Every structure is written in C-alpha cells, then in structure tokens.
C-alpha cells in the first residue's frame, strides 16, 4: 500500500508495546518503515542508532556488516540491531524485495505487577555482546508485519491501538526467538561438557 507522493512524511507513530515484563516504545514513520527494492542492488552505508532497530528483509538476500563482521542472509530474515552497533548492508537482485524497519527503545525494568523476566534479560545481555540477533521469519510473523504496514500506510481510525497490539505480537515472536536461540546454545554447551567429562573419565580409567 502506497501513500500519494509528498504525504509520507505526515505519517508518524509512537506506540507502546508490551512483551512479558518489558515495555517497548516503538517509532514508525511511513516514509522509512516500508521500502520496496525491485531488482536493484541496494547499499546502506555504515551507521548506528541510539535505539534498537528491528529490520525485516522479505524475499531479500545479501550481507549485513555488523561491527565490521560480515553476516550473510537469504529468504525472509529478521535482524535486531542493538543500540550503537555499527551496521551496513548490501542486498542482491531478486524481484519483489521489501524491507520493514522499526526503531524501538526497550526498558528492562519490570512493569508493575510483574517479576523480572530473567531468561529474556540473559538473552538480551548475551546478544548485546554480538551487537545483533538474526532469525528467519515464518508465515505468521510476516502476516503481522504486512498488517502493520497496511496500518502505518493507511488511515484507519484509532490506528495506534491496532499498532500497539500488533507490535506486541511481533516483538513477542522476535524476543521468544532470541530466548530459544540462547537455550539451544546452552543445550549444546551442556552436551559438550557431558562428552568431555565422559572422555576424561574413560582416560582416567585407562590410566588406572
């Protein structure tokens, strides 16, 4: 959905979303939220933000450079860039590419009535060391993004109420993916530790 020329700058939303015990303040501008890249090589120069950024690369492929390290991606990839992480990109040439960008601030202070979400906070601390998090979007996530796009670019009444619910669902998906990835890493480390203990035990038995 496209706005008439010259009207994009008039559409701007600041919306709160809630995931577990965390409050997210999201910033969406129609002019920068949805970008079509049809059959063109697209470059972005290295830059950073004081806030987080969620970037959805739909039907896209290319490379993201985060703090000087190259990361390839393809298909429907989602990136979360942490504050002050330097990043740049170059995309490929597939038709019907689209990118969606949401800037947001995330408060890890628990909301009233909630205890701290220790697992989420641990995952955020770990990924902050990397400067970003990447995962593949599924059909449900992409449907939510498309609905947000229609809402941001449209003129539905009380659109901020719709966006608050939609963004809460989107970030619940994204932060859950981050926690699952962290659990997988811990699981692999635990398995490796068990194997090393077993090898050490066998070597000790042989020596004895």
């Amino acid at each position: 959905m496209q706005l008439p020329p010259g009207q994009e700058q008039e559409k701007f939303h600041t919306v709160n979303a809630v995931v577990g015990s965390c409050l997210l303040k999201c910033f969406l501008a129609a002019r920068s939220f949805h970008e079509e890249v049809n059959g063109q090589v697209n470059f972005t120069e290295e830059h950073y933000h004081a806030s987080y950024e969620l970037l959805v690369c739909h039907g896209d492929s290319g490379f993201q450079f985060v703090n000087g390290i190259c990361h390839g991606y393809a298909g429907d990839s989602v990136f979360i860039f942490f504050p002050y992480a330097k990043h740049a990109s170059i995309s490929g040439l597939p038709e019907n590419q689209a990118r969606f960008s949401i800037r947001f601030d995330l408060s890890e202070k628990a909301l009233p009535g909630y205890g701290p979400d220790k697992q989420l906070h641990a995952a955020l601390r770990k990924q902050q060391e990397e400067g970003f998090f990447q995962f593949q979007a599924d059909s449900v996530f992409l449907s939510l993004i498309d609905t947000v796009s229609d809402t941001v670019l449209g003129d539905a009444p009380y659109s901020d109420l719709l966006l608050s619910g939609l963004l809460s669902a989107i970030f619940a998906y994204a932060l859950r993916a981050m926690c699952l990835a962290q659990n997988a890493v811990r699981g692999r480390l635990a398995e490796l530790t068990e194997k090393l203990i077993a090898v050490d035990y066998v070597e000790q038995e042989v020596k004895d």
Side-chain angles (χ1 to χ4, degrees):
M1 183 175 184
Q2 299 292 333
L3 287 173
Q7 291 190 13
E8 294 90 339
Q9 66 274 19
E10 299 174 4
K11 305 286 289 184
F12 187 85
H13 300 267
T14 300
V15 181
N16 288 333
V18 177
V19 178
S21 65
C22 296
L23 176 67
L24 297 89
K25 189 172 185 179
C26 307
F27 312 97
L28 302 95
R31 184 171 53 180
S32 60
F33 169 69
H34 183 184
E35 177 188 8
E36 296 285 348
V37 185
N38 291 317
Q40 300 176 0
V41 175
N42 186 56
F43 300 88
T44 60
E45 295 183 356
E46 185 177 74
H47 62 286
Y48 63 85
H49 316 288
S51 58
Y52 293 81
E53 180 184 14
L54 183 140
L55 177 67
V56 182
C57 302
H58 177 41
D60 196 359
S61 63
F63 301 93
Q64 290 284 347
F65 302 86
V66 185
N67 291 331
I69 301 175
C70 180
H71 304 274
Y73 68 93
D76 299 317
S77 297
V78 184
F79 292 87
I80 296 177
F81 299 111
F82 281 66
Y84 301 104
K86 295 180 180 179
H87 55 282
S89 68
I90 178 172
S91 68
L93 289 170
E95 295 291 332
N96 301 318
Q97 301 175 57
R99 292 185 177 187
F100 305 88
S101 174
I102 302 171
R103 304 276 185 87
F104 65 100
D105 291 327
L106 189 154
S107 173
E108 294 186 49
K109 183 179 179 181
L111 293 171
Y114 288 84
D117 191 330
K118 295 181 180 179
Q119 187 176 16
L120 175 56
H121 294 178
L124 286 167
R125 294 281 73 75
K126 178 60 179 176
Q127 294 304 138
Q128 188 174 32
E129 297 174 8
E130 303 289 335
F132 82 110
F133 175 66
Q134 177 184 358
F135 68 99
Q136 291 297 115
D138 62 14
S139 59
V140 176
F141 187 91
L142 292 174
S143 177
L144 288 167
I145 287 291
D146 285 340
T147 306
V148 168
S149 181
D150 289 341
T151 305
V152 169
L153 300 178
D155 57 358
Y158 307 110
S159 58
D160 283 0
L161 293 177
L162 293 174
L163 289 172
S164 179
L166 290 166
L167 291 170
S168 294
I170 284 170
F171 282 105
Y173 262 84
L175 297 177
R176 175 178 177 269
M178 188 182 295
C179 289
L180 289 173
Q182 189 63 27
N183 282 346
V185 170
R186 283 199 296 265
R188 289 193 295 271
L189 288 174
E191 183 180 353
L192 178 60
T193 300
E194 290 178 2
K195 290 180 179 179
L196 290 173
I197 291 173
V199 169
D200 184 65
Y201 176 79
V202 171
E203 289 179 347
Q204 190 63 43
E205 286 292 311
V206 171
K207 289 179 181 179
D208 294 341

